[in-house]
Amino acid sequence: YRVEGGFVEVTSEVVNFSNPDMPRSFDGRAPFENLLTSIDNLCSSLPVATGARLLRAERGLLDHPSTINTKGFESYAEGLAHLRAYSSDPFSSEDHLVPALVAMMRARALDDAFFGPSLQIGKIHEASSNPDKAIASFQEALGRAPGLRPARDAIDRLTRKSL
């Protein structure tokens, strides 16, 4: 990518290894304030262009746009970094789950239409063995992105566990 003035230019090439003679190139230019929308569009187009088969949950995530609020996205990314650190060392849960929860709550407050923070908050509550709060967060994610497969699957899983 390249930033030029108030624009971001992105060029990428994807090679289909089953047919390497058919590379696909993507070029895009968008105003910097539309960067997150452009990323959503690029992510949605890659599986189609490459013929990649996605899991149902992956397709569900791509079907719903993320945020256009850069501060919300920064908080969301900070929370994801803490969750990644937690997944590599679950014994340090307090060191990572609490900051992840705080960052996700901040992201949710900054963009009340973005489903990502609510989905991740549900995962944090599930990891903390708090199924009622997890289900409530997953339902909130569904309210922000109706039909969101990962949230529906999590609610089904947690509901079956409680039976």
Side-chain angles (χ1 to χ4, degrees), residues 7-157:
F7 288 86
V8 176
E9 294 179 350
V10 177
T11 302
S12 64
E13 188 169 297
V14 178
V15 177
N16 182 342
F17 288 104
S18 64
N19 188 355
D21 295 331
M22 301 215 27
R24 302 200 188 246
S25 294
F26 300 92
D27 296 311
R29 179 182 165 110
F32 190 73
E33 62 269 7
N34 293 342
L35 177 62
L36 297 173
T37 301
S38 299
I39 291 171
D40 277 345
N41 293 339
L42 179 64
C43 290
S44 293
S45 70
L46 285 174
V48 174
T50 61
R53 294 181 53 141
L54 299 177
L55 296 173
R56 189 172 55 186
E58 294 169 330
R59 179 83 254 156
L61 291 172
L62 290 177
D63 288 341
H64 302 282
S66 64
T67 183
I68 58 171
N69 181 309
T70 55
K71 294 290 183 196
F73 185 78
E74 287 173 9
S75 292
Y76 180 70
E78 177 187 338
L80 288 178
H82 284 292
L83 289 176
R84 201 169 12 261
Y86 166 75
S87 68
S88 66
D89 183 13
F91 296 109
S92 65
S93 63
E94 288 296 313
D95 295 341
H96 297 294
L97 285 183
V98 171
L101 182 60
V102 169
M104 291 299 172
M105 291 174 75
R106 186 172 50 245
R108 183 177 63 185
L110 287 166
D111 184 352
D112 62 0
F114 182 27
F115 70 88
S118 298
L119 184 66
Q120 297 304 323
I121 290 169
K123 292 178 182 181
I124 292 167
H125 287 311
E126 185 176 5
S128 301
S129 300
N130 195 335
D132 293 337
K133 284 187 176 182
I135 289 171
S137 293
F138 290 131
Q139 288 172 332
E140 184 176 286
L142 278 173
R144 294 168 186 225
L148 183 65
R149 193 71 197 208
R152 286 195 347 231
D153 290 347
I155 291 169
D156 290 347
R157 182 179 61 253

